[in-house]
Amino acid sequence: MATLTDRVKNHVLEAISQGKFDIGEVLPATEEIAEKVKCSTGTVRKALTDLANEGVLKRIQRRGTVVARKPSTGHVCLILPPEPHTNLLLHHVVHSALVNAGYEVDTVPTTMGLETVQTQCTQLLSSGDAPDCLVVLEPSNKALYPLIEDLAKRAKRRVIFQFENQKTLQDMQLLTPDHQKAAREVVQHLLSLGHRKIAIIAGGSPGESTWSADSAAHCRDLLEVSGAIYVPQYLFTDKHPKLIERFLKEGVTAYWAITDHEATQVVNLCYQAGLKIPQDISIVGRHDTPWALDCHPPLTTVSLNPEGIAVAVVEALNAQRKDPSAINKVIKVQPRLVVRESTGPVKA
């Protein structure tokens, strides 16, 4: 929990960061700051002394306390996803948002191999200006977990974005997609087009507890309430040729894939089986990758909302600076349904 002194320091730092006080400008009187923050003048004096010791402020006789330099927002170690498609979506937008917010960023790609990643992180931590913030994007490779846990112990502020809605790394603030909202938007869209038998990827195998299984469960509930039929599909048991057979046998008219890449594969197999998209079957992808636009026809898909993720990362780090207990708050980023030509009305 932030102390009153921390609150005063954050109040002053935020005012300087926002440009309310330029370098060389005199801060308001101690009494005025105390009134705004609702604390004693003694607390304000202690906070200003701390900031002067840090070099942000300078005490000048007969003039007062002046701004000596702009405060540093923080130094981030940004660990990228091992999965290249997720990396493609998130890397640059998150990096740019952090830099624009005043953070110094050291990027660690995880596609280079675990040993190389460990070496790079060790070099960062042993430098004179070691990162005080850790941002991890979808660490699907569990071999990275011990390294991330070690980095988390050294970082004051810590954020992880991952597809799973439950924390897999306890010392990180969790950012995650709102899978329930995504399911609601997909189901509402398909129902509005007249679809009543909808196949949805529900994970790799039956009985799994994963983000895709949770997402499919939300779809099942929504479809059952509407009177439509939910047809679960599984990546490891419903291989693609069998998938098309089930579509034809069970009269499925719409399908929500696990990723855009998988959706494009299903589109190609449908064409090979003589099915037209979207006249015979509507296809929905996930994540809005470049494949979505390259597909023929272009895919209707659920965007991860990379810009929303980037904003949430910056806001989470800033919130932890003001209140360390903010790390316990789970933030759900709102996805967006992008409607294109791969979905259409059910054929009469």
Side-chain angles (χ1 to χ4, degrees), residues 165-219:
N165 286 162
Q166 300 295 323
K167 279 190 176 185
T168 52
L169 292 161
Q170 295 304 314
D171 292 329
M172 308 284 291
Q173 181 170 9
L174 176 61
L175 274 64
T176 184
D178 188 338
H179 296 303
Q180 189 168 4
K181 182 177 185 292
R184 185 166 60 250
E185 291 205 1
V186 169
V187 168
Q188 287 175 346
H189 174 62
L190 294 175
L191 290 176
S192 73
L193 295 171
H195 296 280
R196 291 297 179 269
K197 185 170 279 192
I198 300 170
I200 295 165
I201 281 289
S205 305
E208 272 188 350
S209 179
T210 60
W211 66 268
S212 52
D214 290 343
S215 177
H218 293 311
C219 290

Side-chain angles (χ1 to χ4, degrees), residues 15 20 37 48 66 79 97 104 136 171 176 217 242 244 247 252 254 256 258 265 284 308 338 348:
K20 294 179 181 177
V37 185
L48 297 183
V66 302
I79 298 185
E104 179 185 352
V136 182
D171 292 329
T176 184
K242 289 185 178 179
I244 306 305
F247 288 171
V252 168
W256 187 16
I258 189 72
Q265 291 179 306
V284 181
V338 182

Side-chain angles (χ1 to χ4, degrees), residues 15-53:
I16 297 171
S17 298
Q18 291 175 352
K20 294 179 181 177
F21 302 105
D22 291 327
I23 294 174
E25 192 169 344
V26 180
L27 291 183
T30 301
E31 293 78 11
E32 184 178 336
I33 297 174
E35 185 178 349
K36 283 189 176 179
V37 185
K38 307 299 181 189
C39 67
S40 69
T41 54
T43 300
V44 174
R45 281 192 289 270
K46 183 179 185 312
L48 297 183
T49 299
D50 287 350
L51 291 174
N53 292 336

Side-chain angles (χ1 to χ4, degrees), residues 7 40 46 65 107 130 144 161 167 173 179 181 198 200 224 257 270 278 297 299 306 308 336:
R7 283 174 53 191
S40 69
K46 183 179 185 312
T65 303
T107 301
L144 291 170
F161 171 80
K167 279 190 176 185
Q173 181 170 9
H179 296 303
K181 182 177 185 292
I198 300 170
I200 295 165
E224 287 178 353
C270 285
L299 278 177
R336 294 193 304 260

Side-chain angles (χ1 to χ4, degrees), residues 53-125:
N53 292 336
E54 294 169 15
V56 176
L57 305 178
K58 187 177 182 180
R59 297 283 177 78
I60 300 179
Q61 195 171 8
R62 294 194 184 91
R63 193 171 172 211
T65 303
V66 302
V67 178
R69 64 169 174 81
K70 290 284 187 181
S72 173
T73 310
H75 184 178
V76 174
C77 174
L78 174 62
I79 298 185
L80 300 177
E83 203 280 314
H85 308 144
T86 311
N87 195 348
L88 175 70
L89 292 173
L90 298 182
H91 175 190
H92 293 294
V93 68
V94 173
H95 185 278
S96 296
L98 287 167
V99 171
N100 291 338
Y103 287 92
E104 179 185 352
V105 182
D106 282 308
T107 301
V108 179
T110 55
T111 53
M112 304 178 298
L114 184 59
E115 187 174 335
T116 306
V117 173
Q118 287 174 325
T119 300
Q120 187 168 347
C121 288
T122 300
Q123 290 172 346
L124 277 175
L125 292 171

Side-chain angles (χ1 to χ4, degrees), residues 114 154 273 289 314:
L114 184 59
R154 304 163 186 250
T289 61
V314 171

